[in-house]
Amino acid sequence: MKILVTNDDSIHAKGIRTLIKIAREFGEVTVVAPDSPRSGTGHGITIATPLRLKKLHEEDNYREYMSNGLPVDCVKLGQKLLFDGSQPDLVLSGINHGSNASTNVIYSGTMAAVIEACIEGMPAIGFSLLDHAPDADFSQAEDFIRDIIKTMIENPLPKGTCLNVNIPKIKKEEILGVRVCKQANAFWNEIYVERRDPFGIEYFWLDGEFVGEDADPESDMWALNNHYISVVPVHFDLTDYKQLNPIKHLLGK
């Protein structure tokens, strides 16, 4: 298989190193990742500055590049420039340092890369560990990640669907299994902290806490809080189908 690996924590992050190691067990791996952290960039693309792509390493069945672009740029650059007109058989993103469960998926650069691959018709999976620490222990999740990738290779997802996988920060033996879930209803309770730079000019720093009010046992937040790995099938069609007919009734055909 030809596999493209990316992330939003940068080419230097510990999480992507673990994912690369696992991906290489399944085939030929090409890595295209940002040169510095791009967390929270969502589905942004670079259109006003030049994009750069630098090869860092190449050996049999493996090559590694970094880019000054965003995660979605990395998928586009990899697909359009590095696969000789074809496309990867699988795109893997992560392993993210921190949760992308619930509405975090909307802001996530990790999952934006996955959704971009999905738009282009490529099977894709995003992985996140609920640990923001730079030295987070990803080894506890390796076997589960390996099994999920293997299962999805053997049982391909329909086009237009990708997976958002989140892993609790617990020991391997404490993980009770994998639960396929819906996205939980939760939100960020945000504040802007006012500060002043050395010149006395005010600036603002975003802060806040994530508030999860969804106790539904079918949700990803419930799964994670109860020692399960959550797997949420995701698609990029944002149409609210339940409201099509009511709004047609209001606004016409």
Side-chain angles (χ1 to χ4, degrees):
M1 295 194 73
K2 294 183 178 180
I3 302 170
L4 175 63
V5 175
T6 190
N7 74 346
D8 73 356
D9 288 317
S10 90
I11 192 74
H12 310 292
K14 185 177 178 182
I16 198 172
R17 293 295 140 190
T18 301
L19 189 57
I20 289 168
K21 180 181 74 172
I22 296 170
R24 293 187 71 178
E25 299 174 15
F26 293 94
E28 178 183 311
V29 172
T30 299
V31 180
V32 184
D35 56 10
S36 60
R38 299 288 195 275
S39 297
T41 55
H43 213 96
I45 56 174
T46 301
I47 58 174
T49 57
L51 279 171
R52 306 187 190 280
L53 190 63
K54 180 180 180 181
K55 182 185 285 187
L56 300 179
H57 182 73
E58 185 169 9
E59 60 185 76
D60 287 347
N61 296 320
Y62 182 75
R63 51 187 176 164
E64 182 177 310
Y65 298 79
M66 73 176 182
S67 170
N68 64 329
L70 301 169
V72 172
D73 295 320
C74 291
V75 172
K76 289 179 177 289
L77 288 167
Q79 178 197 13
K80 306 297 183 185
L81 300 181
L82 301 178
F83 284 86
D84 300 323
S86 61
Q87 63 181 21
D89 300 305
L90 178 65
V91 176
L92 302 175
S93 185
I95 306 166
N96 190 63
H97 292 246
S99 172
N100 279 316
S102 184
T103 49
N104 287 304
V105 68
I106 297 169
Y107 304 101
S108 167
T110 300
M111 282 305 298
V114 170
I115 292 168
E116 177 63 24
C118 194
I119 291 170
E120 293 291 334
M122 297 178 281
I125 311 171
F127 294 96
S128 303
L129 177 70
L130 276 63
D131 188 347
H132 288 279
D135 63 346
D137 183 4
F138 293 91
S139 66
Q140 304 300 314
E142 285 186 23
D143 288 343
F144 294 98
I145 291 170
R146 188 176 290 108
D147 288 345
I148 290 169
I149 293 172
K150 182 175 184 292
T151 300
M152 290 301 99
I153 289 172
E154 295 173 349
N155 303 271
L157 292 165
K159 283 195 175 182
T161 300
C162 51
L163 295 183
N164 181 18
V165 179
N166 283 271
I167 302 155
K169 180 189 171 182
I170 54 179
K171 297 291 186 182
K172 175 183 174 181
E173 56 270 20
E174 297 174 325
I175 297 175
L176 298 180
V178 175
R179 285 178 69 94
V180 178
C181 312
K182 72 177 184 70
Q183 177 182 308
N185 180 19
F187 64 94
W188 279 96
N189 186 14
E190 298 165 330
I191 60 170
Y192 282 92
V193 179
E194 182 179 345
R195 299 177 181 173
R196 293 191 178 271
D197 67 19
F199 300 98
I201 300 172
E202 70 177 5
Y203 68 94
F204 300 92
W205 200 268
L206 181 62
D207 196 1
E209 63 176 349
F210 194 65
V211 180
E213 298 180 337
D214 194 340
D216 188 340
E218 296 299 317
S219 73
D220 55 5
M221 295 289 289
W222 186 95
L224 292 164
N225 289 334
N226 288 274
H227 290 199
Y228 288 93
I229 292 172
S230 69
V231 177
V232 177
V234 175
H235 62 100
F236 55 84
D237 182 353
L238 300 182
T239 306
D240 186 347
Y241 288 98
K242 292 181 180 178
Q243 294 302 317
L244 277 177
N245 286 330
I247 292 180
K248 281 181 183 179
H249 178 72
L250 293 173
L251 299 178
K253 295 181 180 180

